[in-house]
Amino acid sequence: MRTNTNRFAAATTAAAAALALLVTGCSDNSTDNPAPTSKAAPAAPAAGNSTAEVDGKTIDARFDTTCAKQGGTLALALTDLNNTTYGNFSVSATLQGEDSVQAVAIAGTKGGSNGTPYAVGYGAGAPGGSAKVTKNGTTYTVTGEGVGGVDLTDPLAGPKNIPFEITFACTTVVGG
C-alpha cells in the first residue's frame, strides 16, 4: 500500500511539473507579488494575488499564475522558477467543471526531507487526502490535504497527510 502511495506522489509530482511547463508559455505575470512569510493566519490575498499555504506555512514565492480551460476541465497553475527554498516550484490543481477537484500537485526541485525534492499530491479516488474548491469571481481557492513524500530517514513511517490552502487569482482564463 505504501508503494502505491509513493507511486501516486511521484506521478502527481511529474504531472504538476509537466502542467507547469505546458502552461508557463501563456502565463499571466500580473500576480508577481511575493506572499507574506508570517506564521500567523494568512489574511485573504489582495485582489489579483495568488498564494499557497502548505502544512500551516505560507510559501514565500513570486508566482506566475496560469488558468486554462478545455471542455469541462479547468487547469490552474502557480509557478516560481527561482524559489529560494524549493527551487523550480509549481502548484497546480485540475478541476472538473468549477466545483470538483480532480487533482492537486505541489512540487519543488528541492526542499524535501534530507535534500530530496518537495512533493505533496492529491488525486480524486486515490487513498489519502481530500480537496474542495470555492470560487469568488475568477479566484479559485482549493483547500484540503495531500499525501506528502516519505522521510527517507524514517521510511517505515510512510507518507503523511499535509494540509494545504491555495488561492489561484486568475486575471484571465485561456480558452474560457
Side-chain angles (χ1 to χ4, degrees), residues 18-164:
L19 175 64
L21 290 174
L22 173 69
V23 296
T24 298
C26 56
S27 66
D28 177 356
N29 294 327
S30 66
T31 59
D32 264 351
N33 297 322
T37 58
S38 169
K39 285 192 171 197
N49 291 336
S50 295
T51 62
E53 181 181 304
V54 181
D55 206 13
K57 299 173 193 160
T58 300
I59 303 294
D60 184 19
R62 294 183 55 87
F63 287 126
D64 287 328
T65 302
T66 304
C67 306
K69 187 173 187 175
Q70 183 173 12
T73 302
L74 180 62
L76 306 169
L78 307 178
T79 55
D80 180 351
L81 299 179
N82 194 23
N83 188 277
T84 303
T85 304
Y86 300 102
N88 290 338
F89 187 64
S90 66
V91 180
S92 63
T94 304
L95 308 180
Q96 188 63 42
E98 292 186 351
D99 60 355
S100 177
V101 180
Q102 296 300 302
V104 173
I106 304 165
T109 55
K110 64 181 186 175
S113 65
N114 298 314
T116 61
Y118 186 79
V120 175
Y122 161 77
S130 63
K132 66 180 182 172
V133 62
T134 57
K135 180 182 176 198
N136 183 3
T138 58
T139 298
Y140 298 84
T141 302
V142 178
T143 58
E145 288 188 337
V147 178
V150 175
D151 179 355
L152 296 179
T153 62
D154 188 12
L156 296 178
K160 67 176 188 169
N161 282 3
I162 298 173
F164 57 79

